[in-house]
């Protein structure tokens, strides 16, 4: 975890240059995706560190309220992950996850958030490399979208805009 | 606590003479819940701070206002519970939100703002609306969110919204329907979150004032209450005339011509608590149903001011007692022999449809549900 990834409050001491990195929340199921992240770790596969992981027993538990709460609190992206179909520890939990995810996606779309800020991925316990790949890809995608407009962390959004302006000034 | 004394004064809680009618009337207490309005009134009068936390039981109240109707001392318990919830919220006691707090999150995100909502997809090409300025503002409420959020309940609250716009068009009105509309904040206010409510109220009042509308029509009983009562301090200058779609229909009735029909469908009407007991509008939906050809309106055993609530008004209470209240109400509706349960609030529809999903009772309590506007628009020539 780098200092860039800390909350704005803890970042206050850092003065130059103001930069922005996305804050991403990753929901991972205990049996596959979380273990997949572990595999990535023990295999020493490098990936971007701008996410916080929340472990749940099953991806079926991840109801719209969880994801929407993350966005409300200022997450720039949310990744929901679970076992591949047929691999679910609870037989059909990930099928429930899909149902919940569809609902969430509909509401997120209505709210006017970019759809790229939300993703559903299946990652098994053995797929450490895939975990790293998904994280890198998703982080890049969210970084391209910039800070969430709904971000409660207005401070970091402002500092991002400032850095963008100062970069433009420097270039010209 | 001075806040409690103030609340007692504002809501006439001090007039309570401990008769207990409120608790005897309370639908939750009747269904067996450990809920007592009287206890809250007494604790407020005694200035006991424990009433504020009270294990979150304050949030069990349906705010259906039935106890206010029965109270011989005219204590406004519903208002009191709202004030107490505000104090609770300040202390960090939040309701145990059903649906994982998803809807509260949506409301708070709207209060924060910053995005352009994509809430207008439901608007078909056949419906005429104005995007910004006009004489009449049609307030859609959050029906598009409900339909997106409750696909498994098969709610069709948007049908009521579409029908309302169609009827307004038929009456020669092209209403303003704005993409910048935000949640009215009703549920946040009743959950005690005044800060976010005020953000929403200011945005919405400005939006409607900028449109230049002289009249605001809405299909949602909760939005209507919020606009009529809770937004009052936020208006600058003359506020628009705020009416419910059923009032609009009753006023413009001569503009509509209907299909002739010999068949008669029996329907019954669920009085939304916000429309009925909160605002005293009982007649206009009944006028509309009585005048509608092909429809025979019958009353349920408890109707009008005595109507039972859908038991889920503010997204803060959903438990087995709420379910029991809903089932009881649906049985009442079925007992009238009606084919359709008509309502004038999207939330009533959502909560009753949810109760109907019961795998054991399904067949016994199932009944078709429609918004008043949907019924009227369906009978148009």
């Amino acid at each position: 975890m780098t200092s860039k990834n800390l909350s704005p409050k803890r970042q206050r001491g850092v003065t130059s240059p103001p930069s922005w990195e996305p804050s991403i929340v990753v929901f991972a199921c205990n049996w596959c995706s979380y273990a997949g992240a572990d595999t990535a770790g023990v295999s020493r596969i490098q990936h971007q560190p701008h996410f916080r992981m929340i472990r749940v027993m099953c991806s079926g538990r991840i109801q719209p309220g969880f994801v929407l709460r993350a966005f409300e609190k200022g997450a720039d992206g949310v990744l929901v992950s679970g076992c591949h179909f047929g691999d679910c520890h609870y037989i059909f939990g990930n099928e429930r996850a899909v149902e919940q995810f569809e609902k969430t996606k509909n509401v997120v779309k209505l709210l006017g958030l970019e759809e790229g800020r939300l993703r559903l991925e299946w990652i098994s316990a053995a797929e450490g490399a895939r975990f790293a790949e998904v994280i890198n890809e998703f982080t890049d995608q969210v970084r391209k979208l910039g800070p969430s407009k709904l971000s409660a962390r207005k401070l970091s959004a402002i500092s991002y805009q400032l850095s963008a302006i100062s970069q433009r000034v420097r270039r010209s | 606590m001075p806040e409690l004394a103030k609340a007692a004064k504002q809501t006439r809680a001090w007039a309570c003479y401990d008769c207990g009618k409120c608790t005897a009337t309370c639908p939750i207490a009747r269904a067996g819940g450990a809920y007592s309005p009287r206890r809250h009134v007494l604790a407020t009068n005694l200035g006991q701070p424990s009433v504020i936390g009270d294990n979150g039981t304050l949030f069990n109240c349906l705010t259906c206002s039935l106890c206010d109707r029965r109270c011989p001392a005219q204590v406004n318990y519903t208002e009191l519970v709202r004030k107490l919830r505000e104090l609770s919220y300040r202390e960090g006691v939040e309701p145990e939100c059903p649906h994982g707090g998803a809807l509260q999150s949506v409301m708070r995100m709207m209060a924060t703002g910053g995005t352009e909502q994509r809430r207008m997809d439901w608007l078909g090409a056949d419906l005429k609306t104005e995007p910004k300025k006009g004489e009449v503002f049609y307030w859609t409420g959050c029906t598009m969110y409900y339909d997106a959020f409750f696909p498994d309940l098969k709610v069709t609250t948007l049908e009521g919204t579409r029908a309302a716009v169609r009827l307004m068009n038929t009456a020669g009105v092209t209403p303003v329907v704005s993409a910048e509309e935000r949640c009215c904040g009703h549920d946040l206010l009743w959950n005690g979150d005044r800060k976010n409510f005020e953000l929403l109220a200011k945005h919405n009042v400005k939006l409607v004032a900028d449109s230049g509308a002289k009249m605001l029509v809405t299909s949602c009983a909760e939005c209507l209450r919020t606009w009529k009562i809770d937004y009052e301090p936020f208006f600058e200058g003359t506020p628009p005339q705020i009416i419910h779609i059923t009032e609009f229909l009753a006023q413009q009735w001569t503009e509509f011509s209907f299909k002739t029909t010999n068949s008669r469908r029996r329907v019954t009407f669920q009085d939304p608590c916000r429309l009925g007991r909160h605002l005293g509008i009982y007649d206009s939906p009944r006028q509309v149903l009585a005048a509608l050809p092909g429809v025979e309106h019958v009353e349920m055993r408890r109707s009008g001011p005595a109507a039972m609530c859908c038991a889920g008004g503010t997204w803060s209470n959903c438990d087995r007692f709420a379910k029991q209240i809903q089932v009881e109400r649906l049985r009442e509706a079925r007992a009238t022999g009606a084919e359709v349960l008509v309502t004038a609030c999207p939330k009533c529809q959502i909560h009753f449809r949810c109760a109907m999903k019961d795998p054991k009772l399904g067949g016994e309590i199932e009944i078709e549900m429609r918004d008043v506007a949907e019924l009227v628009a369906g009978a148009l020539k």
Side-chain angles (χ1 to χ4, degrees):
Chain A
M1 203 153 280
T2 65
S3 65
K4 283 173 188 170
N5 198 29
L6 295 176
S7 69
K9 225 182 233 170
R10 291 167 72 184
Q11 223 180 33
R12 210 165 277 161
V14 186
T15 45
S16 66
S19 64
W20 174 81
E21 291 293 352
S23 273
I24 293 169
V25 175
V26 178
F27 290 101
C29 84
N30 180 54
W31 304 100
C32 294
S33 318
Y34 198 81
D38 261 353
T39 310
V42 294
S43 318
R44 308 201 174 185
I45 303 170
Q46 295 285 318
H47 57 73
Q48 300 190 53
H50 311 296
F51 65 95
R52 307 283 205 289
M53 209 157 193
I54 298 176
R55 182 171 61 110
V56 289
M57 285 312 282
C58 177
S59 55
R61 177 73 181 91
I62 305 159
Q63 59 192 80
F66 290 9
V67 177
L68 293 169
R69 181 87 166 183
F71 281 125
E72 181 205 331
K73 295 286 175 195
D76 299 307
V78 178
L79 176 68
V80 175
S81 58
C83 310
H84 288 275
F85 278 131
D87 278 357
C88 179
H89 189 79
Y90 307 100
I91 322 290
F92 55 77
N94 44 10
E95 289 167 28
R96 293 285 167 277
V98 175
E99 286 167 20
Q100 301 292 324
F101 187 80
E102 285 302 314
K103 277 205 246 179
T104 317
K105 216 168 70 180
N106 290 340
V107 174
V108 164
K109 203 173 132 195
L110 276 167
L111 276 168
L113 280 167
E114 298 88 342
E115 276 168 74
R117 295 191 186 278
L118 182 60
R119 193 189 273 199
L120 177 67
E121 288 285 350
W122 308 130
I123 301 164
S124 86
E127 294 175 327
R130 188 176 139 70
F131 176 82
E133 193 186 305
V134 165
I135 288 292
N136 280 333
E137 207 185 291
F138 188 59
T139 311
D140 287 340
Q141 184 181 327
V142 175
R143 187 181 288 117
K144 216 175 276 170
L145 290 169
S148 159
K149 292 191 187 94
L150 284 173
S151 177
R153 306 175 312 140
K154 282 277 155 74
L155 192 68
S156 70
I158 291 167
S159 82
Y160 170 74
Q161 279 164 358
L162 274 177
S163 77
I165 293 167
S166 68
Q167 267 174 14
R168 224 174 295 150
V169 169
R170 237 175 280 147
R171 246 180 270 142
S172 60
Chain B
M1 284 179 82
E3 286 101 338
L4 288 181
K6 204 171 138 204
K9 206 169 170 186
Q10 284 168 341
T11 60
R12 282 181 57 89
W14 50 263
C16 170
Y17 51 68
D18 201 8
C19 69
K21 266 193 182 159
C22 45
T23 304
T25 327
C26 179
I28 302 205
R30 282 172 63 123
Y35 189 77
S36 169
R38 178 172 68 162
R39 205 177 64 205
H40 293 148
V41 174
L42 290 182
T44 309
N45 285 343
L46 293 170
Q48 289 170 345
S50 60
V51 66
I52 286 170
D54 207 13
N55 299 327
T57 57
L58 278 176
F59 291 99
N60 290 353
C61 174
L62 307 173
T63 64
C64 72
S65 202
L66 195 59
C67 52
D68 299 349
R69 302 281 315 182
R70 300 275 196 270
C71 178
Q74 284 98 45
V75 176
N76 192 345
Y77 176 75
T78 312
E79 198 58 36
L80 175 70
V81 93
R82 195 172 85 185
K83 286 189 196 301
L84 293 178
R85 283 178 183 186
E86 263 170 42
L87 296 173
S88 293
Y89 191 84
R90 231 168 49 192
E91 303 284 315
V93 185
E94 275 186 64
E96 214 176 279
C97 304
H99 314 292
L103 295 148
Q104 274 84 352
S105 282
V106 168
M107 294 171 223
R108 293 204 177 101
M109 280 190 259
M110 278 200 234
T112 312
T115 57
E116 276 172 39
Q117 293 180 67
R118 269 168 281 178
R119 55 185 292 149
M120 303 290 278
D121 293 349
W122 56 274
L123 207 59
D126 55 324
L127 301 173
K128 282 181 289 178
T129 58
E130 290 286 340
K132 283 203 155 64
K133 292 206 182 289
E135 286 287 296
V136 181
F137 200 108
Y138 178 67
W139 188 260
T140 59
C142 294
T143 47
M144 60 295 292
Y145 284 91
Y146 295 153
D147 279 19
F149 192 76
F150 296 108
D152 42 340
L153 298 182
K154 298 193 179 63
V155 292
T156 53
T157 55
L158 262 179
E159 287 303 317
T161 312
R162 282 197 196 98
V165 176
R166 185 167 305 129
L167 288 168
M168 292 177 85
N169 286 169
T170 313
V173 176
T174 309
V176 184
V177 177
S178 174
E180 283 167 57
E181 181 185 321
R182 292 186 192 167
C183 164
C184 69
H186 170 274
D187 303 317
L188 289 180
L189 181 68
W190 288 89
N191 286 181
D193 186 354
R194 182 160 269 281
K195 192 183 118 214
N196 282 311
F197 165 74
E198 285 185 2
L199 286 173
L200 290 166
K202 281 175 193 152
H203 171 88
N204 290 333
V205 167
K206 187 169 179 299
L207 178 71
V208 172
D210 289 350
S211 77
K214 297 202 170 54
M215 185 195 269
L216 182 136
V217 183
T218 179
S219 293
C220 173
E222 295 188 333
C223 296
L224 187 74
R225 187 216 131 98
T226 312
W227 269 97
K228 268 192 145 164
I229 300 175
D230 303 313
Y231 277 7
E232 228 205 308
F234 300 94
F235 290 122
E236 283 168 19
T238 30
Q241 189 197 358
I242 298 155
I243 59 170
H244 190 252
I245 186 74
T246 54
E247 292 176 290
F248 177 85
L249 293 177
Q251 281 172 20
Q252 308 277 330
W253 197 252
T254 48
E255 303 282 329
F256 304 113
S257 54
F258 296 100
K259 286 182 260 191
T260 44
T261 170
N262 292 326
S263 65
R264 285 172 86 79
R265 278 183 105 188
R266 190 178 272 201
V267 302
T268 184
F269 180 68
Q270 160 71 14
D271 286 273
C273 49
R274 265 54 186 166
L275 195 65
R277 283 186 291 268
H278 284 234
L279 293 166
I281 301 170
Y282 301 106
D283 296 337
S284 58
R286 288 181 168 77
Q287 276 167 15
V288 168
L289 290 176
L292 198 62
V295 160
E296 181 197 0
H297 172 226
V298 280
E299 294 286 3
M300 279 184 264
R301 190 166 71 83
R302 286 172 286 188
S303 65
M308 288 291 283
C309 170
C310 75
T314 59
W315 300 127
S316 65
N317 34 35
C318 181
D319 50 22
R320 63 203 162 104
F321 308 118
K323 174 75 185 283
Q324 197 177 320
I325 295 166
Q326 286 153 3
V327 169
E328 210 179 300
R329 186 62 168 165
L330 283 168
R331 280 190 205 278
E332 249 174 60
R334 284 284 297 261
T336 61
E339 287 172 57
V340 189
L341 177 56
V342 184
T343 183
C345 179
K347 286 233 185 108
C348 295
Q349 196 192 124
I350 293 167
H351 291 119
F352 285 131
R353 285 211 199 236
C354 177
M356 281 181 225
K357 269 188 56 144
D358 190 302
K360 287 196 185 114
L361 293 171
E364 278 175 56
I365 55 174
E366 230 163 331
I367 187 167
E368 191 184 330
M369 283 206 77
R370 290 262 174 268
D371 192 86
V372 186
E374 242 180 297
L375 214 62
V376 178
L380 281 181
K381 213 175 229 174

